[in-house]
């Protein structure tokens, strides 16, 4: 399958599979019958941290490209890095990346020290915040690159696609926001 017109690269990507008339012999079950959902859920926390680490890397790459382009591209007689709005985007990008990085590090530390269940609030928080951060940084980097930012000449459009897609993977933002809000409200009910 292709997403926003892109494949998933050399790692095989995603596919649609239809199972018809499939039976699994008892000796081939991973756990007991009916445990599949629990097994799938158990991998989500570490998977979400992995996604967020990749998103931070994407945002770092986008910021690097934005800074290089802003320093090299001249408009109205000076590098666009000297234009206030671009400088603001660069500063804001660094702040947003570091905020997300710290929340992801805290989440990973909690998962290691108290377990995935106790880190659930933070896992949901990074799943909401990190893709949105990366999407924002990538958008500003694309803007600094002009039309080139959406072309194959730079990796930005493909990175933006990956970041935007991760706002849906393992549950959309809205589901995580609703669950996180319920958890917070329970503390005061």
């Amino acid at each position: 399958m292709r997403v926003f017109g892109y494949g998933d690269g050399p790692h095989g990507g995603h596919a649609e599979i239809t199972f018809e008339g499939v039976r699994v012999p008892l000796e081939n079950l991973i756990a007991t019958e009916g445990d599949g959902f629990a097994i799938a859920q158990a991998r989500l926390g570490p998977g979400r941290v992995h996604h967020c680490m990749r998103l931070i890397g994407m945002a770092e790459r986008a910021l690097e490209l934005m800074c290089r382009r802003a320093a090299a591209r001249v408009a109205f007689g000076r590098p666009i890095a000297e234009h206030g709005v671009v400088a603001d985007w660069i500063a804001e990008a660094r702040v947003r990346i570091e905020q997300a990085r710290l929340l992801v590090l805290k989440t990973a530390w909690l998962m290691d020290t108290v377990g995935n269940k106790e880190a659930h609030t933070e896992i949901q928080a990074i799943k909401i915040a990190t893709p949105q951060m990366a999407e924002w940084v990538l958008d500003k980097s694309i803007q600094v690159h002009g039309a080139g930012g959406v072309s194959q000449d730079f990796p930005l459009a493909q990175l933006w696609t990956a970041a935007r897609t991760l706002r849906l993977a393992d549950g959309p933002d809205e589901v995580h926001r609703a669950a996180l809000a319920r958890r917070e409200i329970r503390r005061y009910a």
Side-chain angles (χ1 to χ4, degrees):
M1 291 182 64
R2 297 173 68 74
V3 178
F4 284 116
Y6 293 102
D8 267 350
H11 305 295
H14 295 86
E16 291 181 77
I17 300 173
T18 302
F19 293 100
E20 294 178 14
V22 175
R23 297 184 52 84
V24 178
L26 286 175
E27 65 269 12
N28 292 353
L29 289 178
I30 294 173
T32 59
E33 187 174 346
D35 286 345
F37 183 73
I39 293 168
Q41 287 294 106
R43 68 144 283 279
L44 288 177
R48 289 174 179 144
V49 170
H50 177 256
H51 288 323
C52 291
M53 292 185 312
R54 288 183 16 240
L55 285 158
I56 291 167
M58 290 180 213
E60 285 286 3
R61 180 71 171 127
L63 179 56
E64 174 194 348
L65 290 169
M66 180 172 21
C67 290
R68 290 182 185 282
R69 182 70 167 194
R73 188 173 173 197
V74 174
F76 304 106
R78 59 189 173 144
I80 63 171
E82 294 176 16
H83 295 269
V85 70
V86 175
D88 284 349
W89 290 344
I90 291 168
E92 182 68 19
R94 173 51 60 207
V95 169
R96 289 181 185 215
I97 291 168
E98 294 309 323
Q99 288 172 331
R101 185 189 323 274
L102 287 171
L103 186 54
V104 170
L105 286 169
K106 176 189 178 192
T107 303
W109 175 78
L110 283 171
M111 290 170 69
D112 285 346
T113 58
V114 297
N116 293 4
K117 187 173 182 179
E118 295 300 318
H120 195 74
T121 296
E122 288 77 9
I123 292 169
Q124 286 181 317
I126 64 170
K127 175 61 175 75
I128 295 164
T130 312
Q132 289 180 355
M133 171 280 296
E135 189 179 340
W136 187 91
V137 174
L138 282 154
D139 181 72
K140 298 309 179 217
S141 187
I142 288 168
Q143 198 69 17
V144 167
H145 283 77
V150 294
S151 75
Q152 71 278 8
D153 293 344
F154 298 96
L156 297 168
Q158 191 165 6
L159 290 172
W160 182 90
T161 296
R164 180 60 183 92
T165 301
L166 286 173
R167 290 186 53 208
L168 298 168
D170 296 339
D173 295 353
E174 295 77 12
V175 169
H176 292 284
R177 286 180 186 278
L180 188 54
R182 280 192 306 274
R183 176 175 273 105
E184 287 297 310
I185 290 167
R186 267 195 306 254
R187 293 174 43 194
Y188 302 98

